Amino acid sequence: MHLLTFRVDDATRDAAHDAAHDPGGTGDTHHAGDAGDAGATRLGVLVDGDRVADLTALATAAGARLPLDLLGLIRAGEPALTTARELLAGAPATRPLAEVSLCAPLRPGKIVGVGLNYVEHVAESHRTLDTDRELPDRPVLFGKPSTAVTGPGGPILHNADLTKQLDWECELAVVIGTPAFRVAEADALRHVFGYSIVNDISARDQRRSGQWFFSKGQDSYAPFGPVVVTADEIPDPQRLDLSLKVNGELRQDSNTRHMLFGVARLIADISSGVTLEPGDVISTGSPSGVGAGMVPPQFLQPGDLVEATIERIGTLANPVVDAR
């Protein structure tokens, strides 16, 4: 399933919403606890690439117990996923994707970033960002706060008082499904709920004594989405094309098979000392093609549009806006 979180206002409450609440055509579409109020976030599924099934409305209409948000669904485990699949099995009414506003799929408890995880990015980082020339012998880890998360279409904040070097990084996001502590690499993928996209935005000139927290942790520096694809639809996360465009021009183009440390190794390494909880996100590192590595370097400016794409997941698009 391609799970998503969305909002819809009164102007876009079309017949799909009414049909989900009133399948018999009685005209009674009111339900206690209906999450269809204007502005409320709702849990949905992307159907056929361009339509949205409203799981919140479907569950209400069917009298089914289903969490109201994606984090709740993840924590509820396989029974909740089974319920969601059963609700979708009856060819439910849907609404056009263009008529809803997508939000970040969830707000992670923690985001674990991975640096220098593609060979060519290690080389360009050494050349332009003064990092080590040698390939790391274990994952390079850092944290991004959940307040950095913004959703599809959300603005990337460019504050020229803080940075003149705002950069992009298209990364595969791993969403944890079950608690993981001291997990063996062979068992690690069993703890994955699904996959998404994170654009690991970085203020290159705000790295402090080699530390990346402020450089990568500012508000809006973790665009996340547009969907979370459940792990059953991506059995091998190391065979996914990923790319990024700025204003329609290709900047990054690679495949997750080029990771130095694959998803399973990352989970095993992180969980050797840090408990990964349901809804946590691992942002697995960027391929080469970042702005700092270009000759001459190029960085994001207000008015730019950044589009990060990963095979089988979709495209995460975000505008850059002046935040001064």
Side-chain angles (χ1 to χ4, degrees):
M1 285 188 292
H2 287 56
L3 292 156
L4 52 83
T5 300
F6 71 100
R7 285 191 177 93
V8 61
D9 59 27
D10 288 329
T12 58
R13 285 185 171 193
D14 59 13
H17 177 264
D18 292 342
H21 280 16
D22 185 27
T26 65
D28 179 10
T29 61
H30 175 74
H31 287 257
D34 181 3
D37 296 337
T41 58
R42 298 154 77 173
L43 179 61
V45 175
L46 187 64
V47 179
D48 298 329
D50 61 357
R51 298 191 68 83
V52 175
D54 186 338
L55 281 176
T56 303
L58 291 170
T60 301
R65 295 179 60 86
L66 195 70
L68 294 177
D69 58 38
L70 183 51
L71 184 55
L73 187 77
I74 294 170
R75 288 172 172 166
E78 190 58 38
L81 276 177
T82 298
T83 298
R85 292 187 178 103
E86 290 172 349
L87 291 170
L88 293 169
T94 60
R95 69 174 79 240
L97 178 62
E99 293 186 359
V100 307
S101 297
L102 295 185
C103 308
L106 56 93
R107 184 165 178 168
K110 56 181 170 287
I111 304 169
V112 182
V114 182
L116 306 175
N117 199 29
Y118 286 74
V119 174
E120 292 182 351
H121 183 52
V122 172
E124 74 174 357
S125 293
H126 171 70
R127 186 178 69 251
T128 61
L129 298 172
D130 194 30
T131 56
D132 290 341
R133 179 192 301 272
E134 294 78 17
L135 298 180
D137 58 6
R138 57 183 178 177
V140 177
L141 306 175
F142 60 92
K144 289 174 82 88
S146 61
T147 48
V149 169
T150 190
I156 297 168
L157 304 179
H158 185 292
N159 185 345
D161 293 334
L162 290 176
T163 182
K164 303 294 191 295
Q165 299 180 3
L166 194 65
D167 209 344
W168 58 81
E169 294 186 348
C170 177
E171 305 193 359
L172 176 67
V174 179
V175 181
I176 297 299
T178 56
F181 183 66
R182 296 181 179 174
V183 171
E185 185 173 346
D187 299 325
L189 294 185
R190 298 176 187 175
H191 294 269
V192 175
F193 177 84
Y195 300 94
S196 189
I197 303 170
V198 163
N199 188 352
D200 181 16
I201 299 296
S202 307
R204 301 294 187 192
D205 46 359
Q206 283 289 352
R207 190 170 57 137
R208 302 179 179 182
S209 299
Q211 298 299 307
W212 292 337
F213 181 80
F214 195 72
S215 168
K216 291 175 172 286
Q218 296 180 44
D219 289 6
S220 81
Y221 280 19
F224 176 35
V227 298
V228 173
V229 180
T230 50
D232 60 298
E233 297 196 11
I234 301 180
D236 185 356
Q238 306 306 147
R239 294 180 178 273
L240 300 173
D241 290 334
L242 70 168
S243 62
L244 182 140
K245 295 179 180 179
V246 178
N247 301 327
E249 296 185 2
L250 188 66
R251 294 287 185 255
Q252 295 185 286
D253 187 13
S254 189
N255 188 283
T256 56
R257 68 176 177 270
H258 298 305
M259 286 184 188
L260 288 172
F261 307 103
V263 172
R265 172 72 182 278
L266 291 173
I267 293 171
D269 182 77
I270 296 165
S271 72
S272 67
V274 176
T275 298
L276 292 169
E277 299 177 310
D280 285 349
V281 168
I282 303 171
S283 193
T284 58
S286 170
S288 61
V290 299
M294 299 181 69
V295 181
Q298 296 185 22
F299 298 106
L300 296 171
Q301 302 297 330
D304 287 344
L305 178 67
V306 189
E307 298 171 287
T309 299
I310 298 184
E311 181 184 2
R312 304 182 73 171
I313 298 173
T315 296
L316 173 65
N318 298 87
V320 182
V321 303
D322 192 335
R324 285 180 297 180

